[in-house]
Amino acid sequence: MVRARVESTERGPAGQWRVGGELTRTRMRLLGELAMALRELKRGATLVVAPNGDPVLMVRTRLGLRVMGVVVVQDGDGFAYLWDGTCRCPIRDEGSPSVAAVMIAEVQR
């Protein structure tokens, strides 16, 4: 799992650090938009929320050999989709999820 730098954190009931609520909601919304864009390309995805609150979109690669995690990370003043640890697509406008979906759908290995 890719660990993203978090600017807003709070302690959970067991004392572990958890992602701040607003940031988590933003990431979940953006990953949901990406999941819908992948669905339009006939690709399925599953949104998983880790115990610490980090949402991850799980997508099977084109050849079906593995499941790849996609996260939303802070990118300057905005956000970006990040997958395979290094592949990145900045989220600039409403069309960004569709652009990222095409890029993600092409990952074969």
Side-chain angles (χ1 to χ4, degrees), residues 30 33-41 70 80-83 87-107:
L30 293 170
E33 291 172 3
L34 177 59
M36 294 304 296
L38 284 164
R39 177 68 183 105
E40 291 173 5
L41 297 174
V70 182
Y81 294 111
L82 180 70
W83 64 97
C87 299
R88 181 181 292 250
C89 179
I91 302 169
R92 303 280 184 239
D93 56 31
E94 295 171 0
S96 296
S98 297
V99 171
V102 169
M103 294 169 69
I104 291 166
E106 293 300 316
V107 175

Side-chain angles (χ1 to χ4, degrees), residues 66-84:
R66 70 183 173 100
V67 176
M68 173 176 61
V70 182
V71 296
V72 172
V73 296
Q74 291 177 318
D75 186 35
D77 291 339
F79 295 95
Y81 294 111
L82 180 70
W83 64 97
D84 264 359

Side-chain angles (χ1 to χ4, degrees), residues 3-25:
R3 303 300 296 171
R5 190 175 136 242
V6 177
E7 298 206 1
S8 172
T9 58
E10 58 189 32
R11 289 268 184 185
Q16 74 273 20
W17 287 104
R18 298 215 287 187
V19 177
E22 187 60 37
L23 183 58
T24 298
R25 280 190 287 280

